[in-house]
PDB file of all heavy atoms in Angstrom:
ATOM      1  N   TYR B   3     -11.923  23.353  15.801  1.00 92.00           N
ATOM      2  CA  TYR B   3     -10.801  22.749  15.025  1.00 92.00           C
ATOM      3  C   TYR B   3     -11.269  21.498  14.339  1.00 92.00           C
ATOM      4  O   TYR B   3     -11.027  21.268  13.157  1.00 92.00           O
ATOM      5  CB  TYR B   3      -9.645  22.409  15.978  1.00 92.00           C
ATOM      6  CG  TYR B   3      -8.510  21.774  15.267  1.00 92.00           C
ATOM      7  CD1 TYR B   3      -7.606  22.492  14.517  1.00 92.00           C
ATOM      8  CD2 TYR B   3      -8.322  20.379  15.277  1.00 92.00           C
ATOM      9  CE1 TYR B   3      -6.550  21.881  13.807  1.00 92.00           C
ATOM     10  CE2 TYR B   3      -7.290  19.751  14.622  1.00 92.00           C
ATOM     11  CZ  TYR B   3      -6.465  20.490  13.890  1.00 92.00           C
ATOM     12  OH  TYR B   3      -5.438  19.879  13.227  1.00 92.00           O
ATOM     13  N   VAL B   4     -12.078  20.663  15.100  1.00 94.00           N
ATOM     14  CA  VAL B   4     -12.580  19.420  14.571  1.00 94.00           C
ATOM     15  C   VAL B   4     -13.536  19.655  13.392  1.00 94.00           C
ATOM     16  O   VAL B   4     -13.382  19.039  12.284  1.00 94.00           O
ATOM     17  CB  VAL B   4     -13.261  18.559  15.660  1.00 94.00           C
ATOM     18  CG1 VAL B   4     -13.935  17.342  15.057  1.00 94.00           C
ATOM     19  CG2 VAL B   4     -12.269  18.183  16.723  1.00 94.00           C
ATOM     20  N   ILE B   5     -14.438  20.554  13.573  1.00 94.00           N
ATOM     21  CA  ILE B   5     -15.446  20.860  12.513  1.00 94.00           C
ATOM     22  C   ILE B   5     -14.761  21.406  11.288  1.00 94.00           C
ATOM     23  O   ILE B   5     -14.993  20.980  10.127  1.00 94.00           O
ATOM     24  CB  ILE B   5     -16.528  21.799  13.059  1.00 94.00           C
ATOM     25  CG1 ILE B   5     -17.376  21.061  14.071  1.00 94.00           C
ATOM     26  CG2 ILE B   5     -17.413  22.328  11.950  1.00 94.00           C
ATOM     27  CD1 ILE B   5     -18.290  21.957  14.923  1.00 94.00           C
ATOM     28  N   GLU B   6     -13.892  22.410  11.514  1.00 94.00           N
ATOM     29  CA  GLU B   6     -13.145  23.028  10.417  1.00 94.00           C
ATOM     30  C   GLU B   6     -12.313  21.978   9.646  1.00 94.00           C
ATOM     31  O   GLU B   6     -12.277  21.989   8.438  1.00 94.00           O
ATOM     32  CB  GLU B   6     -12.318  24.193  10.906  1.00 94.00           C
ATOM     33  CG  GLU B   6     -11.660  25.075   9.857  1.00 94.00           C
ATOM     34  CD  GLU B   6     -12.652  25.748   8.911  1.00 94.00           C
ATOM     35  OE1 GLU B   6     -13.829  26.003   9.348  1.00 94.00           O
ATOM     36  OE2 GLU B   6     -12.333  25.932   7.776  1.00 94.00           O
ATOM     37  N   SER B   7     -11.610  21.093  10.406  1.00 95.00           N
ATOM     38  CA  SER B   7     -10.795  20.080   9.784  1.00 95.00           C
ATOM     39  C   SER B   7     -11.631  19.178   8.941  1.00 95.00           C
ATOM     40  O   SER B   7     -11.258  18.828   7.810  1.00 95.00           O
ATOM     41  CB  SER B   7     -10.094  19.194  10.916  1.00 95.00           C
ATOM     42  OG  SER B   7      -8.972  19.868  11.375  1.00 95.00           O
ATOM     43  N   LEU B   8     -12.757  18.752   9.499  1.00 95.00           N
ATOM     44  CA  LEU B   8     -13.604  17.805   8.707  1.00 95.00           C
ATOM     45  C   LEU B   8     -14.177  18.516   7.495  1.00 95.00           C
ATOM     46  O   LEU B   8     -14.231  17.851   6.405  1.00 95.00           O
ATOM     47  CB  LEU B   8     -14.817  17.302   9.626  1.00 95.00           C
ATOM     48  CG  LEU B   8     -14.359  16.391  10.761  1.00 95.00           C
ATOM     49  CD1 LEU B   8     -15.563  16.074  11.639  1.00 95.00           C
ATOM     50  CD2 LEU B   8     -13.784  15.073  10.201  1.00 95.00           C
ATOM     51  N   ARG B   9     -14.588  19.745   7.608  1.00 94.00           N
ATOM     52  CA  ARG B   9     -15.050  20.535   6.402  1.00 94.00           C
ATOM     53  C   ARG B   9     -13.976  20.449   5.313  1.00 94.00           C
ATOM     54  O   ARG B   9     -14.285  20.172   4.151  1.00 94.00           O
ATOM     55  CB  ARG B   9     -15.219  21.996   6.878  1.00 94.00           C
ATOM     56  CG  ARG B   9     -16.593  22.441   7.247  1.00 94.00           C
ATOM     57  CD  ARG B   9     -16.525  23.933   7.526  1.00 94.00           C
ATOM     58  NE  ARG B   9     -16.358  24.620   6.259  1.00 94.00           N
ATOM     59  CZ  ARG B   9     -17.334  25.198   5.595  1.00 94.00           C
ATOM     60  NH1 ARG B   9     -18.575  25.131   6.039  1.00 94.00           N
ATOM     61  NH2 ARG B   9     -17.128  25.832   4.454  1.00 94.00           N
ATOM     62  N   GLN B  10     -12.735  20.778   5.718  1.00 95.00           N
ATOM     63  CA  GLN B  10     -11.696  20.888   4.710  1.00 95.00           C
ATOM     64  C   GLN B  10     -11.318  19.526   4.150  1.00 95.00           C
ATOM     65  O   GLN B  10     -11.097  19.356   2.964  1.00 95.00           O
ATOM     66  CB  GLN B  10     -10.420  21.495   5.260  1.00 95.00           C
ATOM     67  CG  GLN B  10     -10.637  22.922   5.700  1.00 95.00           C
ATOM     68  CD  GLN B  10      -9.429  23.559   6.293  1.00 95.00           C
ATOM     69  OE1 GLN B  10      -8.336  23.021   6.205  1.00 95.00           O
ATOM     70  NE2 GLN B  10      -9.596  24.661   6.960  1.00 95.00           N
ATOM     71  N   LEU B  11     -11.373  18.477   4.992  1.00 95.00           N
ATOM     72  CA  LEU B  11     -11.132  17.115   4.522  1.00 95.00           C
ATOM     73  C   LEU B  11     -12.181  16.661   3.540  1.00 95.00           C
ATOM     74  O   LEU B  11     -11.872  16.002   2.512  1.00 95.00           O
ATOM     75  CB  LEU B  11     -11.148  16.108   5.707  1.00 95.00           C
ATOM     76  CG  LEU B  11      -9.828  15.840   6.436  1.00 95.00           C
ATOM     77  CD1 LEU B  11     -10.076  14.975   7.633  1.00 95.00           C
ATOM     78  CD2 LEU B  11      -8.824  15.232   5.506  1.00 95.00           C
ATOM     79  N   MET B  12     -13.430  17.081   3.737  1.00 95.00           N
ATOM     80  CA  MET B  12     -14.503  16.720   2.836  1.00 95.00           C
ATOM     81  C   MET B  12     -14.406  17.438   1.475  1.00 95.00           C
ATOM     82  O   MET B  12     -14.991  16.983   0.483  1.00 95.00           O
ATOM     83  CB  MET B  12     -15.864  17.068   3.453  1.00 95.00           C
ATOM     84  CG  MET B  12     -16.411  16.092   4.414  1.00 95.00           C
ATOM     85  SD  MET B  12     -17.889  16.712   5.226  1.00 95.00           S
ATOM     86  CE  MET B  12     -18.961  16.939   3.810  1.00 95.00           C
ATOM     87  N   GLY B  13     -13.659  18.542   1.482  1.00 94.00           N
ATOM     88  CA  GLY B  13     -13.460  19.247   0.183  1.00 94.00           C
ATOM     89  C   GLY B  13     -14.210  20.546   0.168  1.00 94.00           C
ATOM     90  O   GLY B  13     -14.241  21.197  -0.862  1.00 94.00           O
ATOM     91  N   LEU B  14     -14.829  20.965   1.274  1.00 93.00           N
ATOM     92  CA  LEU B  14     -15.461  22.254   1.301  1.00 93.00           C
ATOM     93  C   LEU B  14     -14.410  23.363   1.471  1.00 93.00           C
ATOM     94  O   LEU B  14     -13.341  23.082   1.984  1.00 93.00           O
ATOM     95  CB  LEU B  14     -16.462  22.352   2.457  1.00 93.00           C
ATOM     96  CG  LEU B  14     -17.643  21.338   2.451  1.00 93.00           C
ATOM     97  CD1 LEU B  14     -18.446  21.399   3.697  1.00 93.00           C
ATOM     98  CD2 LEU B  14     -18.536  21.674   1.220  1.00 93.00           C
ATOM     99  N   ASP B  15     -14.733  24.606   1.047  1.00 91.00           N
ATOM    100  CA  ASP B  15     -13.738  25.660   1.174  1.00 91.00           C
ATOM    101  C   ASP B  15     -13.677  26.023   2.677  1.00 91.00           C
ATOM    102  O   ASP B  15     -14.628  25.907   3.423  1.00 91.00           O
ATOM    103  CB  ASP B  15     -14.245  26.899   0.407  1.00 91.00           C
ATOM    104  CG  ASP B  15     -14.025  26.707  -1.043  1.00 91.00           C
ATOM    105  OD1 ASP B  15     -13.105  25.976  -1.454  1.00 91.00           O
ATOM    106  OD2 ASP B  15     -14.828  27.293  -1.871  1.00 91.00           O
TER     107      ASP B  15
END
Side-chain angles (χ1 to χ4, degrees):
Chain B
Y3 177 79
V4 172
I5 291 168
E6 187 61 29
S7 277
L8 290 174
R9 267 184 68 98
Q10 293 179 17
L11 269 174
M12 278 174 62
L14 298 171
D15 285 332

